[in-house]
Amino acid sequence: NQDEEKLTEYLDELEFLAFTAGATIQKRFTQKLTQPDPKTFIGSGKAIEIKEYVKENEIGTVIFDDELSPSQLKNLEREMEVKILDRTNLILDIFAQRAQTSYARTQVELAQYQYLLPRLTRMWTHLERQKGGIGMRGPGETEIETDRRIIRDRITLLKDKLKTIDRQMATQRNNRGKVVRAALVGYTNVGKSTLMNSISKSEVFAENKLFATLDTTVRKVVIGNLPFLLTDTVGFIRKLPTQLVESFKSTLDEVREADLLIHVVDISHESFEDHIESVNNILMEINAHQKPMIMVFNKIDDFSYEKKDEDDLTPSTRKNVSLDEWRKTWMAKSKYPTVFISALTKENFPEMKKMIYDEVMKIHISRFPYND
Ligand code: GDP
C-alpha cells in the first residue's frame, strides 16, 4: 500500500530528526482522518490511547510530524499531561543545538521567538519539574512567562541585528567580484559537505545527522585552471518551518545569488524523488528555480536492493547498477546536465568535474565575451 509506505518514510525521517535532537523513540502512533481535528489535531480516542501508553511507560515527550496550532498544542498538553513537541519545534531545537556562528545563532533565536510568540499562553504548570530537554533550548521557560512585549522587542532587535549582518554579507558577496559562484543545494544529509570536502580539499563538518551544516562555507575551487567559488548551504527538508525559511534569508541569498546550482541527490534514499521535489519547491519559493543547474546523483556506492529484470530500475529493485545503466534511467533524461557519483569513493569524479567545468565556463564566457 503506497500511502502506508509514504507514512513509514515520513515517520522514519521524524525519528531521524528526533535522534539528531538526542531523543529515542519508543513507539509510533498513526491515525487516518479526513482532516485534523481543529481542537486536538488527533481524535479524542487516539489521544486517550496515547495518554495511557505515555503513563504506563513513563514517556517524557510526544512528538507530532506536523506543525500544531497554538491551541492544539495547549489542548493536547492539557489532555495528555505530557510535553508535546511538533515538527517545527523539533527542527528549531536541532538548529539551536547546531548553530555555530553568532549569525546562525541569531537566526535561530529569531525563528524560535517567532514560533513562541503566539504560543505564549501555553501552560507549563504540570510540567514544572521537567525543565530542559528537547524543545527547551534557546529561549527558556522564564522567557515563556514574561510579557509578550519583551519578546516583540527582542524580535525587533534580532531583526535589526540580522539586517546589519545581511548588509555586510551582501557587501562581501559583491566584493567577490565577477568570479563565477556555484552553490551546492539539496535535501539534508545527501552528502553536500562530503562533496564540498572532496572537490575543494577542505575540512567541512560532515556527519550522518540532519542539518550538520547551518552556516554557509565558501571555498575557492579550481578545475582545469578555471577558478570559481563553491558554497555549501543549509540542507532543505520537507515541511521546513516557515520561520526558518524567513530567518535564514541570508543563507538562502547565497543560493539566490549563485550563478550555478549543483543539486545533490542521495540516490540510495528510498524517497529521493520526494527530496528532489522538496528542494525544487524551496528553490521556487526563493525564486532561484530558473538558474543553470547540474543534477548530481550521489551515493551510487550504497545499494542493497534486489533487481528483478533488466528494465527494472525503480529504486526498490536496483542493485549494483553500472554507470551505463544509470545513464539510461529517467534521472539522466532531465533537462539539466546529470551525473552519477559517489562523494565517498570519488567514483566518476572526472565526469562530474568536466560537467562543472563546462557549465562554469559557459557562464564565464557570457561574462567576458571579448576575451580570448
Ligand atoms: P549534507 O547534510 O548534505 O552536507 O551531508 P553530509 O556530507 O554531512 O553527509 C551525510 C552522510 O552521508 C555522512 O554520513 C556521509 O559520510 C554520507 N555520505 C556522503 N556521501 C556519500 C557517498 O557517496 N556514499 C555513501 N555511502 N555515503 C555518503
Side-chain angles (χ1 to χ4, degrees), residues 3-19 25 27-31 63-66 87 90 210 238-239 270-271:
D3 283 355
E4 259 160 45
E5 262 175 44
K6 273 267 153 334
L7 196 64
T8 309
E9 284 168 24
Y10 288 166
L11 291 182
D12 283 348
E13 181 181 272
L14 189 70
E15 185 160 340
F16 195 19
L17 279 168
F19 160 77
I25 299 302
K27 193 175 166 63
R28 296 178 176 189
F29 292 90
T30 56
Q31 182 175 37
I63 304 175
F64 284 78
D65 189 34
D66 254 293
R87 184 182 171 84
L90 181 64
L210 301 178
R238 185 178 67 91
K239 293 201 256 175
E270 52 192 348
S271 345

Side-chain angles (χ1 to χ4, degrees), residues 16-60:
F16 195 19
L17 279 168
F19 160 77
T20 302
T24 4
I25 299 302
Q26 296 285 327
K27 193 175 166 63
R28 296 178 176 189
F29 292 90
T30 56
Q31 182 175 37
K32 235 189 195 140
L33 289 176
T34 31
Q35 61 198 40
D37 188 303
K39 286 206 186 90
T40 49
F41 192 73
I42 49 175
S44 54
K46 186 57 78 176
I48 292 170
E49 188 189 335
I50 299 174
K51 180 180 174 172
E52 278 166 5
Y53 180 84
V54 161
K55 274 246 160 67
E56 243 162 65
N57 298 279
E58 300 183 355
I59 303 294

Side-chain angles (χ1 to χ4, degrees), residues 189-194 206-208 298-299 301-302 342-344:
N189 213 44
V190 295
K192 295 182 297 298
S193 305
T194 311
E207 197 186 9
N208 194 18
N298 188 30
K299 305 198 191 180
D301 62 296
D302 197 14
S342 163
L344 211 61

Side-chain angles (χ1 to χ4, degrees), residues 62-103:
V62 176
I63 304 175
F64 284 78
D65 189 34
D66 254 293
E67 182 166 321
L68 300 170
S69 74
S71 67
Q72 284 170 338
L73 198 75
K74 204 167 87 183
N75 293 336
L76 279 169
E77 224 155 48
R78 192 187 297 143
E79 242 169 69
M80 307 210 296
E81 293 169 7
V82 68
K83 182 167 137 190
I84 309 280
L85 278 185
D86 63 7
R87 184 182 171 84
T88 304
N89 202 352
L90 181 64
I91 293 177
L92 284 173
D93 192 77
I94 295 169
F95 273 62
Q97 280 180 64
R98 309 228 133 205
Q100 303 279 336
T101 60
S102 83
Y103 181 60

